[in-house]
């Protein structure tokens, strides 16, 4: 190493005495420069300059003297070459950038509240069984959603349609999204058209309530042709099943559900009807003999960490002469009931809650709570149809 400074001089060593690039790391032995070797403290000022004090040590006060770190603003086009862990402030994007294998923006982590909150692997889940508010703070949050409307009630014959099923992703800012979970639909008494389910929504995303099941129209014993087709299922997220006799099923809403089955029965014993549509398929028609139609299948979603069916249709009711009522669709659909003689329809399984079976007393099976299932049809103009299932809204995001 060349001699530095002015030999024999008593003047302090200055930067002018040291040629550029002369002192190398290899020239300084580890731990050789100690506080005792320094005439004054070395401190780093808030402006980034190196200053001196008087006690011969590098002070912590000199290293940290302000509650912030100032990075030099740099435009995107002039971004420095990076190494892992490096930072710079991008003045074009107004963002701090970090280098991993490339420069990427450091973003704040948004949080959310509302509903019942649970955690599954990689996700936080917010479940709304009733209406509420989903609130986001701290930035943008991309979420997945499942919006299930209330199911339609069973009618005087046909099964109720499942509530509308909508799923997808949406990005929400620091704002609130009003959540409405569709409520259950009460049964209609003897020989009425089933009530439609109520809508569910997540912000502007709306699922339509399921259509009520069709009723019974007939005059014993002739059942003239001029009354046929007057007992249709109602339109909805999924349509209600056609009632007795020869009546169409209600129409489903595109992208949310399917149509109810069509009743083709034209005889007065046994009496049969059609099943309501489900989120995963159309309701079944009766077979023109002893069997009423089953409710349409629900649709699968695993948004809450468990693969479940949602919004199955209600089974059609039946009456007399060893008739067989329709089963509820998977995803909480209620089973159709029978009257006089026959077999009740089983409730739909595989959902958050199972649908009820049709009773032997003419009561249609109630749909499972918070499944959006359709209620089962009554025993053809006797007692009442089953309740439609209440809706649900589920939101999740990665953590």
């Amino acid at each position: 190493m060349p001699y530095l400074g002015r030999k024999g001089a008593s003047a302090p060593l200055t930067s002018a005495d040291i040629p550029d690039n002369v002192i190398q790391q290899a020239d300084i032995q580890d731990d050789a420069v100690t506080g005792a070797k320094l005439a004054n403290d070395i401190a780093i000022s808030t402006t980034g300059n190196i200053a001196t004090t008087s006690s011969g040590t590098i002070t912590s006060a000199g290293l940290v003297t302000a509650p912030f770190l100032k990075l030099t603003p740099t435009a995107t086009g002039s971004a420095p070459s990076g190494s892992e862990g490096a930072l710079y402030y991008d003045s074009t994007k107004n963002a701090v950038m970090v280098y991993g294998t490339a420069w990427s923006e450091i973003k704040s982590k948004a949080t959310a509240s509302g509903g019942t909150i649970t955690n599954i692997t990689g996700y936080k889940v917010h479940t709304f069984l009733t209406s509420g508010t989903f609130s986001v703070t701290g930035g943008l949050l991309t979420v997945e959603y499942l919006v299930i409307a209330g199911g339609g009630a069973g009618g005087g014959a046909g099964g109720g349609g499942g509530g509308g099923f909508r799923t997808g992703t949406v990005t929400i800012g620091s704002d609130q999204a009003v959540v409405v979970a569709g409520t259950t639909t009460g049964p209609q008494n003897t020989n009425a058209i089933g009530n439609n389910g109520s809508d569910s929504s997540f912000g502007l995303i709306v699922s339509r309530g399921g259509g009520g099941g069709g009723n019974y129209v007939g005059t014993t014993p002739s059942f003239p042709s001029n009354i046929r087709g007057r007992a249709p299922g109602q339109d909805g997220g999924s349509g209600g099943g056609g009632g007795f006799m020869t009546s169409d099923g209600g129409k489903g809403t595109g992208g949310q559900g399917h149509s109810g089955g069509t009743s083709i029965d034209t005889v007065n014993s046994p009496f049969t009807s059609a099943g309501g549509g489900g989120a995963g398929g159309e309701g079944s028609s009766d077979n023109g003999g002893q069997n009423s139609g089953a409710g349409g299948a629900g649709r699968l979603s695993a948004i809450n960490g468990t693969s479940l069916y949602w919004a199955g249709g209600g089974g059609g009711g039946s009456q007399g002469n060893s008739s067989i009522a329709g089963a509820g669709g998977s995803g909480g659909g209620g089973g159709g009931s029978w009257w006089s003689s026959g077999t009740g329809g089983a409730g739909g399984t595989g959902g958050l809650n199972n649908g009820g079976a049709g009773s032997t007393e003419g009561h249609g099976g109630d749909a499972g709570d918070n499944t959006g299932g359709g209620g089962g049809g009554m025993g053809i103009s006797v007692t009442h149809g089953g309740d439609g299932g209440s809706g649900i809204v589920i939101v999740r995001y990665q953590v």
Side-chain angles (χ1 to χ4, degrees):
M1 175 178 175
Y3 173 73
L4 299 177
R6 287 167 278 179
K7 186 174 182 180
S10 60
L13 191 69
T14 69
S15 61
D17 299 320
I18 306 174
D20 292 343
N21 301 317
V22 169
I23 301 176
Q24 305 294 323
Q25 182 176 353
D27 297 326
I28 304 174
Q29 184 178 356
D30 290 347
D31 301 322
V33 180
T34 65
K37 302 297 183 182
L38 300 174
N40 296 300
D41 279 356
I42 297 176
I44 300 176
S45 72
T46 58
T47 60
N49 297 320
I50 296 177
T52 61
T53 59
S54 59
S55 63
T57 60
I58 298 176
T59 64
S60 59
L63 295 173
V64 182
T65 59
F68 59 86
L69 174 67
K70 184 176 180 180
L71 301 177
T72 302
T74 305
T76 300
S78 302
S81 57
S83 58
E84 187 174 6
L87 299 171
Y88 88 94
Y89 172 67
D90 191 309
S91 57
T92 305
K93 297 178 179 178
N94 191 28
V96 175
M97 311 296 286
V98 63
Y99 197 91
T101 56
W103 288 112
S104 62
E105 184 177 338
I106 297 177
K107 297 181 179 180
S108 61
K109 194 73 172 180
T111 59
S113 62
T116 299
I117 302 174
T118 54
N119 293 288
I120 59 176
T121 303
Y123 292 91
K124 184 166 287 188
V125 182
H126 296 245
T127 301
F128 294 84
L129 302 182
T130 58
S131 299
T133 303
F134 181 78
S135 299
V136 177
T137 58
L140 298 175
L141 188 62
T142 298
V143 303
E144 300 173 52
Y145 61 83
L146 175 67
V147 182
I148 304 295
F165 176 114
R166 294 192 67 179
T167 190
T169 60
V170 64
T171 299
I172 302 175
S174 295
D175 203 350
Q176 296 180 338
V178 175
V179 177
V180 176
T183 56
T184 183
T185 54
Q188 290 282 42
N189 290 327
T190 302
N191 197 31
I193 295 172
N195 290 318
N196 281 18
S198 57
D199 296 347
S200 291
S201 61
F202 175 51
L204 299 178
I205 300 158
V206 180
S207 291
R208 186 180 179 189
N215 62 330
Y216 163 91
V217 176
T219 56
T220 303
S222 59
F223 299 99
S225 60
N226 64 351
I227 65 168
R228 295 177 182 175
R230 294 187 181 179
Q234 302 301 292
D235 298 342
S238 285
F244 183 85
M245 54 193 287
T246 60
S247 296
D248 293 336
K251 295 180 176 62
T253 301
Q256 298 190 28
H258 295 80
S259 297
T262 297
S263 169
I264 61 175
D265 189 9
T266 60
V267 299
N268 64 356
S269 186
F271 303 88
T272 57
S273 63
E282 293 184 354
S284 297
S285 299
D286 52 18
N287 66 357
Q290 293 178 304
N291 296 78
S292 289
R299 184 174 163 187
L300 280 171
S301 172
I303 192 170
N304 65 351
T306 302
S307 186
L308 296 171
Y309 286 95
W310 302 91
S318 68
Q319 184 184 133
N321 199 17
S322 300
S323 62
I324 301 172
S330 57
S337 183
W338 64 274
W339 180 257
S340 182
S341 66
T343 304
T349 59
L352 182 67
N353 294 295
N354 292 335
S359 78
T360 60
E361 300 175 350
H363 297 252
D366 294 337
D369 291 340
N370 298 112
T371 64
M378 72 178 73
I380 309 293
S381 77
V382 179
T383 66
H384 60 74
D387 292 352
S390 48
I392 192 171
V393 175
I394 302 176
V395 182
R396 79 174 188 180
Y397 48 91
Q398 291 183 322
V399 293

